[in-house]
Amino acid sequence: MSELPASGALRLTCQPSKAGNTLVFPYRLANEGPGEVYAMHALPAGGAAASETAAVVMAGDTGDAIIGKFAPPLPADRRIAVPVVPLARRLPAGATLEGRIEVALPLAETSPYFPDLTLRQYEIVDIKGVVLTIGFWLADTGELVARPSAEGSDLLQILTADPVKSARLATQRFPTTALQLFRRTDAFPRMPA
């Protein structure tokens, strides 16, 4: 299922697969509405080139794992001067955008705000499904500015007062069996239900 924005309809479709020890999510976003959107497409890599296949992974409230390209929730245990905001691509009305996410197994919660933990600092939980999630912003709001990214190509840096709250989400859920998630036991922030 996809969330429908006020000025259009962004449809997310995907056929996930597994290649060795990697979950692969080749996805397609179709903007079926009249308004232009900025779809999150790459995650900044802190000095290195942005990754178009990396993802944020977190446990959901309903027993699913949320995997995708979206603005991760801010940590509650520290102040963040500059939030990590995924780089976006412009998606005009009627256009499509293809992307890919690759997540290595074992599946573990990740965020650009937190380094990986030692194995004993995770708890292993069974998950009921995977929710592929791609964030986007409506382009016709006066609250944001899109400017070319230093990463080049057609990636855009989106500037807005609150990148997490102003973003919308397109999602697609995949039921799973026998898949587990290494859930963090520290002060890791998760998306509210």
Side-chain angles (χ1 to χ4, degrees):
M1 84 174 90
S2 297
E3 181 175 317
L4 302 178
S7 64
L10 190 64
R11 184 162 321 282
L12 172 63
T13 56
C14 176
Q15 291 295 320
S17 63
K18 184 179 172 192
N21 267 354
T22 303
L23 297 177
V24 180
F25 299 89
Y27 65 87
R28 179 182 171 132
L29 288 170
N31 186 352
E32 298 175 348
E36 182 174 76
V37 300
Y38 297 110
M40 298 181 199
H41 191 73
L43 295 177
S51 173
E52 293 190 13
T53 60
V56 175
V57 178
M58 63 183 52
D61 292 341
T62 60
D64 292 332
I66 301 167
I67 297 176
K69 298 175 184 176
F70 51 88
L74 294 171
D77 63 344
R78 65 192 99 146
R79 294 187 71 144
I80 301 296
V82 180
V84 175
V85 179
L87 300 175
R89 286 222 157 94
R90 179 176 281 116
L91 188 56
T96 61
L97 173 67
E98 294 187 0
R100 181 181 179 95
I101 290 174
E102 297 178 1
V103 180
L105 293 173
L107 191 59
E109 287 189 305
T110 62
S111 168
Y113 297 116
F114 292 84
D116 290 341
L117 299 173
T118 62
L119 185 59
R120 295 191 188 281
Q121 293 173 299
Y122 291 96
E123 62 181 357
I124 299 173
V125 295
D126 293 323
I127 57 174
K128 299 175 187 176
V130 170
V131 180
L132 180 64
T133 303
I134 306 296
F136 64 95
W137 294 277
L138 299 175
D140 60 3
T141 65
E143 303 170 357
L144 61 85
V145 174
R147 68 178 192 194
S149 164
E151 299 294 328
S153 73
D154 58 348
L155 291 173
L156 300 169
Q157 184 178 30
I158 304 297
L159 306 172
T160 180
D162 191 336
V164 175
K165 289 184 181 174
S166 63
R168 297 180 180 219
L169 303 173
T171 62
Q172 187 176 7
R173 183 180 185 275
F174 304 97
T176 62
T177 57
L179 187 59
Q180 296 179 318
L181 174 69
F182 280 60
R183 188 176 192 277
R184 298 176 68 107
T185 59
D186 59 354
F188 188 78
R190 295 178 181 89
M191 292 171 39

